[in-house]
């Protein structure tokens, strides 16, 4: 340790550290400046950027010694809550944030750009931020925010210019209706007190088991509560995902938060207001019809007397269930719902205040790191823990079977000890992985369980064989493929745990606090009531990633140092190599046409494994938590009984919404998979819709029909037709077909998520470089009907982010592995879309006042790969059926045609 003096944000700071400590850890752990984030530790993502002598540079490698005497600026040095920097304000105004983990680095890069170039072009913005990654996909909003901060006018291409109410939407609104005690999650937790509490200070606490993952859900739920209770939104205090306080709502997944928690909160708050009115009428000695409510104040219009919610009921419990006595507001009366509102957490995120579980700092906290095996089946033979214990700051080396970890006083000390443990560990390697190049063939040839899905129902009889109709004049067939995909969150998984007097508290950024509590209790042999799981923000979550595993790691280490909180963080390699991936899928489609060009049949076969490995107690003694498999007394992986339920896993959106004759849909469920897999954004919907919508385009061209008209002619659902027409109109579809230019194309994709949720149509405008095979997306147009919209900006934000992430899967992403294990372990070997790749995204929202909430976060993923593939065909006449559409593959396909 030496004394180092650093000039940070205009002030001089003296710290005692090892001078070769990376600047990032000094800023975060010694100076308490948490804005810069560890995300890769490889200078590949930009999340840890700071400005040093005017240049935006990563801080994860540069040493404290090397920056002495230089001017260092972090995000915290740009503005304050009272005086935000123009860039910070612009990021809020443009809502250029989802999870927010990448935002500090984005703003820092933008600040350095504007300091040297106050009037940048779009190209200059994209170039300057080309090494800043955003996994949530809000590049276009960030571009607009930078231009706003630079005061460069731009005609808005966002939803704000396009919000619409289609002619077929519910006219006016539904009549005022009673609350429903069976709606949403109320069926399992009907008590009003589980959802809403009136506080003496005139605030209202609302509880939800759903969690914020960057999808704006906390804002939307608060808006619903404020609307039904008729209080100002600033009075709402939302508590989410805390097993000691909130209702158990399982996982925040499937784009069902509004459907379940939104409806529960709406009904509970409406009933609570009715009870408050009844009590006020009694107290004010007046009739109910004389009462009016405004911002939590109940006034007797006859006498002028009034009572506030807090005066009337503050601190009391309702002690009743929702029993259909309250009245839901009609859509025409809404004052909050349906209007765009800023998330209340954005200011903290643009200022770099501690928001994430990675930023959490508790008294006497220590740091933990896990040494993962070299591959799935490896087992630890020996390790030199003695030499590691001699390293500075090391408290304990933990070995339990093949679970190997270290606990140290400081973060950089834990990292150094982890690296030395890794270097000295001897492992017995597990079975080799199969040859990746033969994955498609092996998936279709291995034993599997096949079942027939018809009209949304799984039939018990064996699936029929595929037969070509006797009157077929032409038969088309194609095979489509989706590889293993990563969640690849910008920040690696992390968790915090503390063991005190036989009880465990865990802070996690996972999707389901209650299921995680049960899974940890099983592994630790504890009663679930002795474990509390508290959700905290984390880097973007797109399904079951490594967050649960990191929380389990933290809990295992916390028992080794009773009383001391353990901050456990994965590395980038840990995240890429050990998270559960989105499963690979193979889809075969065949259809025949008669001599008049009429469609005769539709055959769809999909091969994939189970899509769910989420942590849960398992009757057969299995666990979904990674570290449990490597303990001295290991748990087996979860048992996976056959699941025939439609719209789960690989069957999600396997049936088209179109009125095709003689439909045959068969799901071939594989019992084995070479890589660890689990729930990934949209489950099978992404691949199934890619295949369906690509083949629909092929059928349209085979019949000489316009692809849009072909879709409309095979749909009966008017709302489905409306989104297709809206996307086509916004994109200039008809004009485009009359003015096509070489190597430039436009393609369409459509879906209704799960065949019951949001409708989404996507049109992509792109061009292809024939020489290199590079695909350049120029603009994307999305039309969406997600039912009644609570916060339109939140819906649009999700659609824009879904487009970029789905396009990234489609154009760039594939988990690579060899016989020894995973080899795509950083952002170079697993590339994702960057700023220069991002097109402008234009969103049209078809609001349906008075109709049901329909989730949107996952619903847009499927149409996008099809729209891209169809646009490539329109541009250069080749069909791309195997994801990803990397340039070498496109070039090869062009040469073969």
């Amino acid at each position: 340790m030496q004394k180092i003096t650093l000039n940070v944000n205009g002030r001089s700071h003296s710290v005692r550290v090892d001078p070769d400590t990376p600047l990032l850890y000094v800023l975060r752990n010694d100076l308490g400046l948490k804005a810069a984030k560890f995300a890769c530790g490889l200078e590949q993502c930009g999340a840890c950027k700071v400005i040093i002598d005017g240049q935006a540079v990563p801080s994860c490698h540069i040493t404290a010694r090397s920056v002495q005497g230089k001017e260092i600026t972090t995000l915290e040095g740009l503005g304050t809550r009272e005086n935000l920097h123009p860039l910070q304000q612009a990021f809020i105004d443009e809502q250029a944030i989802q999870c927010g983990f990448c935002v500090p680095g984005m703003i820092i890069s933008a600040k350095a750009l504007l300091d040297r170039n106050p009037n940048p072009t779009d190209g200059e913005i994209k170039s300057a931020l080309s090494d800043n990654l955003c996994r949530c996909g809000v590049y276009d909003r960030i571009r607009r925010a930078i231009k706003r901060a630079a005061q460069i006018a731009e005609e808005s291409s966002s939803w704000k210019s396009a919000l619409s109410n289609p002619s077929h939407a519910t006219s006016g609104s539904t009549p005022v209706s009673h609350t429903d005690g069976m709606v949403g999650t109320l069926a399992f937790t009907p008590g009003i007190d589980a959802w809403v509490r009136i506080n003496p200070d005139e605030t209202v606490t609302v509880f939800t088991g759903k969690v914020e993952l960057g999808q704006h859900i906390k804002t939307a739920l608060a808006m619903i509560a404020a609307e039904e209770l008729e209080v100002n939104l600033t009075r709402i205090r939302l508590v989410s995902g805390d097993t000691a306080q909130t209702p158990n709502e399982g996982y925040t997944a499937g784009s069902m938060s509004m459907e379940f928690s939104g409806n529960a909160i709406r009904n509970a708050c409406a009933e609570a207001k009715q009870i408050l009115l009844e009590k006020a009428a009694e107290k004010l000695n007046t009739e109910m019809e004389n009462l009016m409510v405004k911002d939590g104040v109940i006034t007797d219009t006859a006498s002028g007397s009034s009572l506030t919610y807090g005066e009337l009921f503050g601190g009391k419990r309702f002690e009743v269930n929702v029993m259909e006595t309250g009245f839901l507001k009609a859509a025409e009366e809404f004052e909050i719902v349906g209007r765009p509102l800023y998330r209340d957490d954005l200011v903290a995120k643009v200022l770099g205040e501690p928001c994430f579980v990675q930023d959490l700092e508790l008294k006497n906290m220590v740091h933990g790191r896990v040494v993962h095996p070299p591959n799935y089946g490896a087992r630890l033979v020996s390790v030199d823990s003695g030499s590691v214990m001699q390293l500075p700051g090391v408290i304990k080396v933990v070995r339990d079977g093949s679970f190997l970890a270290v606990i140290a006083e400081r973060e950089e000390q834990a990292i150094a000890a982890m690296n030395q443990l890794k270097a000295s560990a001897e492992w017995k390697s597990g079975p080799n992985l199969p040859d990746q190049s033969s994955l498609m063939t092996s998936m279709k040839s291995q034993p599997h369980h096949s079942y027939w899905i018809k009209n949304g129902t799984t039939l018990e009889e064996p699936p029929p064989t595929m037969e070509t109709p006797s009157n077929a004049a032409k038969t088309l067939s194609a095979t489509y493929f989706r590889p293993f995909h990563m969640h690849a969150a910008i920040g690696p998984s992390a968790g915090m745990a503390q063991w005190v007097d036989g009880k465990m508290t865990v802070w996690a950024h996972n999707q389901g606090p209650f299921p995680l509590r049960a899974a940890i209790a099983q592994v630790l042999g504890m009663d679930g009531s002795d474990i509390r799981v508290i959700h905290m923000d984390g880097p973007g979550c797109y399904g079951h990633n490594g967050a649960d595993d990191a929380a389990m790691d933290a809990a295992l280490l916390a028992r080794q140092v009773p009383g001391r909180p353990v901050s456990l963080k994965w590395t980038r390699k840990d995240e890429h190599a050990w998270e559960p991936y989105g499963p690979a899928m193979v889809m075969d489609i065949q259809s025949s046409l008669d001599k008049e060009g009429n469609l005769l049949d539709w055959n769809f076969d999909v091969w994939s494994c189970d899509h769910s490995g989420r942590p849960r107690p398992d009757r057969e003694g299995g666990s979904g938590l990674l570290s449990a498999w490597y303990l001295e007394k290991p748990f087996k992986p979860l048992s996976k009984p056959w699941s025939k339920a439609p719209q789960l896993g690989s069957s999600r959106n396997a049936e088209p919404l179109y009125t095709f004759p003689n439909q045959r849909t068969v799901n071939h469920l594989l019992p084995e998979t070479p890589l660890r897999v689990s729930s990934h954004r949209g489950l099978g919907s992404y691949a199934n819709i890619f295949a369906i919508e690509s083949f629909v385009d092929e059928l349209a061209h085979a019949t000489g029909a316009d692809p849009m008209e072909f879709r409309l002619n095979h749909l009966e659902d008017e709302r489905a037709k409306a989104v297709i027409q809206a996307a086509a109109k916004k994109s200039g579809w008809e004009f485009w077909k009359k003015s096509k230019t070489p190597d430039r194309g436009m393609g369409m994709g459509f879906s209704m998520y799960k065949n019951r949720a949001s409708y989404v149509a996507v049109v992509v405008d792109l061009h292809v470089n024939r020489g290199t095979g590079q695909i350049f997306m120029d603009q994307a147009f999305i039309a969406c009907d997600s039912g009644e919209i609570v916060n339109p900006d939140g819906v649009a934000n999700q659609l824009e982010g879904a487009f970029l992430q789905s396009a990234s899967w489609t154009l760039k992403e594939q988990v690579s592995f060899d016989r020894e294990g995973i080899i795509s372990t950083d952002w170079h070997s697993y590339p994702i879309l960057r700023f220069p790749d991002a097109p402008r995204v234009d969103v049209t929202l078809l609001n349906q006042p008075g109709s049901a909430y329909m989730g949107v976060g996952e619903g847009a993923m499927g149409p996008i790969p099809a729209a891209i593939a169809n646009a490539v065909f329109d541009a250069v006449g080749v069909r791309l059926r195997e994801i990803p559409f990397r340039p070498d593959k496109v070039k090869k396909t062009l040469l073969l045609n």
Side-chain angles (χ1 to χ4, degrees):
M1 294 286 189
Q2 296 180 20
K3 182 178 180 181
I4 295 288
T5 300
L6 301 176
N7 298 319
V8 183
N9 298 330
R11 295 179 57 192
S12 179
H13 299 267
S14 293
V15 295
R16 289 191 62 82
V17 297
D18 181 332
D20 290 323
T21 299
L23 175 62
L24 175 64
Y25 300 118
V26 177
L27 293 173
R28 290 179 58 83
N29 300 332
D30 293 284
L31 302 184
L33 300 173
K34 303 289 189 180
K37 298 288 187 283
F38 176 89
C40 70
L42 303 168
E43 299 186 332
Q44 294 177 357
C45 69
C48 66
K49 280 188 175 181
V50 298
I51 296 174
I52 299 178
D53 287 348
Q55 299 295 316
V57 298
S59 61
C60 61
H61 272 196
I62 192 167
T63 65
R65 184 202 309 271
S66 67
V67 293
Q68 291 184 100
K70 298 183 179 182
E71 290 297 326
I72 304 168
T73 302
T74 71
L75 182 61
E76 290 94 339
L78 299 191
T80 64
R81 281 185 171 266
E82 295 73 28
N83 185 26
L84 292 173
H85 185 278
L87 272 167
Q88 293 168 321
Q89 186 63 58
F91 267 66
I92 292 174
D93 293 340
E94 290 291 342
Q95 299 273 294
I97 301 171
Q98 281 193 18
C99 79
F101 203 83
C102 72
V103 165
M106 292 287 184
I107 295 178
I108 285 293
S109 291
K111 172 69 164 58
L113 167 65
L114 295 184
D115 284 347
R116 65 177 182 269
N117 181 3
N119 192 34
T121 64
D122 284 352
E124 289 168 336
I125 291 172
K126 290 185 175 184
S127 177
L129 278 78
S130 62
D131 58 351
N132 284 80
L133 294 179
C134 173
R135 184 54 166 166
C136 296
V138 292
Y139 290 126
D140 201 37
R141 285 180 176 244
I142 293 170
R143 179 190 61 79
R144 295 201 303 265
I146 294 170
K147 295 185 78 171
R148 179 189 282 262
Q151 299 184 327
I152 301 172
E154 174 180 321
E155 182 178 352
S156 175
S157 62
S158 72
W159 67 271
K160 295 176 185 175
S161 62
L163 188 65
S164 61
N165 293 302
S167 58
H168 65 274
T170 308
S171 58
S173 64
T174 54
V176 178
S177 59
H178 286 285
T179 54
D180 183 355
M182 296 300 291
V183 75
T185 323
L186 283 174
F188 309 100
T189 312
I192 295 178
D193 294 303
W195 302 96
V196 60
R197 178 189 303 153
I198 307 299
N199 302 317
D201 64 357
E202 306 300 343
T203 63
V204 178
T205 302
V206 175
F207 302 92
T208 175
K210 301 298 183 180
V211 299
E212 181 65 58
L213 305 169
Q215 81 280 40
H216 299 233
I217 191 63
K218 289 173 70 174
T219 301
L221 295 178
M223 290 171 70
I224 290 170
E227 186 71 75
E228 290 297 338
L229 285 168
E230 298 195 75
V231 299
N232 192 292
L233 192 62
T234 59
R235 298 189 189 277
I236 300 295
R237 305 289 182 265
L238 195 77
V239 177
S240 75
D242 183 341
T243 59
Q245 299 188 73
T246 63
N248 182 354
E249 294 193 87
Y251 296 104
T252 303
S255 294
M256 297 186 292
S257 293
M258 294 299 294
E259 180 182 350
F260 284 87
S261 200
N263 274 317
I265 287 172
R266 184 185 184 194
N267 280 263
C269 288
E271 188 126 338
K273 184 180 72 174
Q274 183 74 7
I275 293 171
L276 291 168
L277 288 170
E278 291 171 355
K279 291 184 178 297
E282 180 181 347
K283 196 132 187 175
L284 296 173
N285 194 25
T286 189
E287 300 297 323
M288 287 278 289
E289 55 265 26
N290 293 335
L291 299 179
M292 63 170 288
V293 183
K294 185 176 179 62
D295 193 18
V297 178
I298 304 173
T299 301
D300 176 9
T301 56
S303 67
S305 301
S306 64
L307 284 169
T308 68
Y309 282 177
E311 292 170 341
L312 182 67
F313 208 70
K316 299 178 182 178
R317 294 178 60 84
F318 290 96
E319 296 183 337
V320 295
N321 292 342
V322 177
M323 296 293 290
E324 301 187 10
T325 58
F327 296 93
L328 300 173
K329 291 180 70 173
E332 61 200 20
E333 299 174 339
F334 289 164
E335 298 179 354
I336 299 172
V337 167
R339 292 165 173 76
L341 285 177
Y342 296 153
R343 284 163 49 185
D344 62 4
D345 64 332
L346 295 191
V347 173
K349 289 183 175 177
V350 301
L351 287 170
E353 295 175 357
C355 301
F356 300 93
V357 68
Q358 288 85 349
D359 302 331
L360 183 60
E361 191 164 330
L362 301 177
K363 186 177 179 181
N364 293 325
M365 184 178 79
V366 294
H367 296 267
R369 290 293 188 277
V370 171
V371 177
H372 287 105
N375 49 49
Y376 289 140
R379 287 296 181 263
L380 184 60
V381 176
S382 65
V383 65
D384 182 6
S385 57
S387 63
V388 176
M389 285 298 300
Q390 303 305 311
L391 294 177
V394 173
I395 298 170
K396 194 165 190 176
V397 172
V398 179
R399 179 182 178 183
D400 184 344
S402 293
F403 175 76
L404 183 62
V406 63
I407 305 170
E409 293 287 352
R410 293 176 59 88
E411 188 167 11
E412 69 273 15
Q413 292 169 340
I415 293 169
M418 173 193 69
N419 289 332
Q420 186 159 321
L421 274 178
K422 189 179 297 183
S424 72
E426 179 185 350
W427 299 85
K428 180 181 178 181
S429 187
N432 287 340
L433 293 177
D435 182 5
Q436 184 169 8
S437 64
S438 63
L439 181 60
M440 282 181 64
T441 303
S442 65
M443 287 177 66
K444 294 179 69 173
S445 62
Q446 68 175 276
H448 57 269
H449 183 80
S450 301
Y451 58 92
W452 185 16
I453 302 172
K454 187 174 183 180
N455 299 325
T457 302
T458 300
L459 303 182
E460 290 302 321
E461 59 259 42
T465 57
M466 182 169 54
E467 297 181 358
T468 302
S470 58
N471 59 334
K474 185 176 184 179
T475 298
L476 284 75
S477 62
T479 296
Y480 300 87
F481 174 69
R482 173 252 175 101
F484 293 101
H485 278 151
M486 293 185 188
H487 303 84
I490 288 298
S493 296
M496 178 88 77
Q498 186 174 23
W499 171 261
V500 178
D501 297 332
K503 296 185 183 295
M504 183 77 73
T505 303
V506 177
W507 294 263
H509 60 105
N510 74 320
Q511 289 185 294
F514 284 89
L516 176 60
R517 180 180 70 173
I520 290 176
Q522 179 191 23
V523 174
L524 297 183
M526 295 177 61
D527 190 294
S529 62
D530 289 330
I531 300 175
R532 178 183 182 184
V533 177
I534 303 170
H535 181 268
M536 287 192 69
D537 284 0
C541 181
Y542 321 103
H544 173 203
N545 62 6
D548 298 276
D549 299 317
M552 182 72 251
D553 293 344
L556 285 168
L557 296 189
R559 293 214 297 189
Q560 301 294 321
V561 283
R564 301 197 71 176
V566 178
S567 174
L568 186 288
K569 297 174 185 175
W570 278 14
T571 66
R572 173 50 50 197
K573 184 175 182 179
D574 291 336
E575 190 75 17
H576 270 32
W578 288 97
E579 67 155 70
Y581 305 126
M585 296 176 64
V586 180
M587 291 72 57
D588 281 349
I589 312 183
Q590 179 174 304
S591 288
S592 296
L593 305 168
D594 65 18
K595 60 184 179 180
E596 284 80 30
N598 299 310
L599 191 65
L600 297 175
D601 65 347
W602 174 272
N603 295 279
F604 188 91
D605 291 80
V606 54
W607 284 264
S608 188
C609 61
D610 187 83
H611 282 234
S612 181
R614 291 185 183 277
R616 56 177 170 80
D618 187 50
R619 293 179 181 177
E620 297 183 18
S623 174
L625 294 167
L626 179 65
S627 54
W629 305 342
Y630 294 94
L631 300 174
E632 181 68 31
K633 296 181 179 179
F635 287 77
K636 299 179 298 183
L638 286 172
S639 59
K640 294 182 179 180
W642 297 114
S643 175
K644 295 185 178 182
Q647 299 301 336
L648 289 179
S650 55
S651 70
R652 183 161 295 177
N653 281 108
E655 284 191 291
L657 197 66
Y658 302 105
T659 56
F660 295 150
N662 301 314
Q663 291 189 33
R664 170 188 163 278
T665 301
V666 181
N667 188 12
H668 305 274
L669 192 59
L670 309 179
E672 302 294 337
T673 176
L675 307 185
R676 185 188 184 200
V677 299
S678 190
S679 304
H680 197 236
R681 193 173 189 178
L683 302 186
S685 174
Y686 164 81
N688 287 332
I689 292 298
F690 159 57
I692 291 169
E693 287 295 299
S694 295
F695 199 72
V696 164
D697 197 79
E698 297 194 36
L699 289 172
H701 283 279
T703 61
D706 175 87
M708 178 190 70
E709 294 298 332
F710 185 87
R711 287 174 170 83
L712 296 177
N713 290 337
H714 289 87
L715 283 169
E716 295 179 348
D717 190 321
E718 293 301 320
R719 290 170 71 173
K721 293 180 181 181
V723 295
I724 291 174
Q725 291 166 331
K729 180 179 179 181
K730 194 69 176 178
S731 68
W733 182 270
E734 296 293 345
F735 173 78
W736 172 262
K737 295 303 173 183
K738 298 175 183 176
S739 58
K740 191 176 179 309
T741 57
D743 301 338
R744 194 174 192 94
M746 185 174 279
M748 175 179 286
F750 159 79
S751 77
M752 182 186 189
Y753 188 48
K754 307 178 194 174
N755 286 1
R756 67 171 180 82
S758 56
Y759 303 83
V760 179
V762 177
V763 174
V764 174
D765 171 6
L766 56 75
H767 66 277
V768 180
N769 184 318
R770 286 180 178 267
T772 65
Q774 186 80 32
I775 297 171
F776 298 93
M777 298 182 296
D778 299 304
Q779 195 158 5
F781 305 88
I782 306 173
C784 176
D785 174 353
S786 61
E788 181 165 80
I789 295 173
V790 175
N791 184 359
D793 190 85
V795 173
N797 203 314
Q798 283 293 287
L799 291 167
E800 293 171 41
F803 179 87
L804 262 295
Q805 190 171 117
S806 182
S808 184
W809 292 356
T810 304
L811 296 177
K812 291 183 175 289
E813 299 183 37
Q814 173 177 274
V815 176
S816 298
F817 56 94
D818 61 16
R819 296 285 187 175
E820 302 300 317
I822 307 301
I823 57 177
S824 47
T825 57
D826 60 19
W827 295 117
H828 290 161
S829 53
Y830 190 86
I832 67 174
L833 282 187
R834 292 177 178 267
F835 243 105
D837 305 310
R840 295 194 181 199
V841 182
D842 193 299
V843 175
T844 301
L845 301 179
L846 281 66
N847 195 13
Q848 302 279 13
S851 66
Y853 303 134
M854 299 161 69
V856 72
E858 299 178 1
M861 302 298 286
I864 292 157
I868 293 172
N870 296 335
V872 169
F873 177 79
D874 190 44
V876 293
V878 299
R879 290 291 180 187
L880 300 178
R881 301 187 179 102
E882 293 185 23
I883 291 170
F885 305 157
R886 290 180 178 172
D888 57 339
K889 190 182 298 182
V890 177
K891 186 176 180 179
K892 182 179 179 180
T893 306
L894 284 166
L895 291 173
L896 293 174
N897 285 267

